[in-house]
Amino acid sequence: MSRIEIIQGDITESTVDAIVNAANCSLLGGGGVDGAIHRAAGPELLAECRTLHGCETGRAKITKGYRLPAKFVIHTPGPVWHGGNTGEEALLASCYRSCLELASENGCRTVDFPSISTGVYHFPLEKASKIAIGTIADYLNTHPEIERVRMVCFDVRTERFYRDALAELG
Ligand code: AR6
């Protein structure tokens, strides 16, 4: 059975070891899924984020989940899409890999991701879904400690692209 699953839903409701936040480099909150996570986690999350002094695009940092059902939040700033010639694809893959590495280091067995960079940052959804699924599958191949990774898609269109990308893996 595949350890990668695609669901539609709101990631702030995920009861898992870690959810991923599609953040920005300040790590001080924003709109989209970032705003929703900060609202649901409460002000203690922002207080911990202030101690982290930001994060580079493609890297990740971990905090507690506070009022969220998830134990941890892994914050990763995805790349802004500038047309594809500024390393966007490698940076997006690096986001997924960095988050999974932090999950492993912190004993997380279940991890939920949102669709990083495909909202305000305008990364094309088809490309992003293939990079996400490919990078997650590669990581899971060599890391049995992670039991399940889900893509939590906020809307049906996003869900369809991730389902197709997963189906292509075979
Ligand atoms: N659960 C799951 N997915 C969600 C939720 C939710 N509650 N809310 C939105 N999404 P975006 P980005 C989806 O724009 O493109 C922020 O201001 C959304 O429909 O949140 O990486 C940050 O601070 C889309 O499919 O993230 C940054 O400045 C996906 O999450 C910037 O936006 C990502 O959309 C990051 O932009």
Side-chain angles (χ1 to χ4, degrees), residues 9-12 22-24 29-34 36 114-122 152 154-155 158:
D10 177 348
I11 203 166
T12 65
N24 58 60
V33 70
D34 193 5
S115 176
I116 300 166
S117 281
T118 67
V120 179
Y121 283 178
H122 290 299
V152 180
F154 205 47
D155 56 88
T158 301

Side-chain angles (χ1 to χ4, degrees), residues 70-123:
K71 188 169 175 207
F72 295 104
V73 181
I74 300 174
H75 307 260
T76 186
V80 178
W81 182 257
H82 289 297
N85 295 317
T86 55
E88 293 96 325
E89 299 194 18
L91 285 168
L92 187 63
S94 174
C95 286
Y96 283 92
R97 222 170 12 248
S98 302
C99 290
L100 290 167
E101 283 165 4
L102 268 182
S104 292
E105 285 165 19
N106 287 275
C108 300
R109 295 168 184 278
T110 52
V111 183
D112 279 8
F113 281 93
S115 176
I116 300 166
S117 281
T118 67
V120 179
Y121 283 178
H122 290 299
F123 204 107

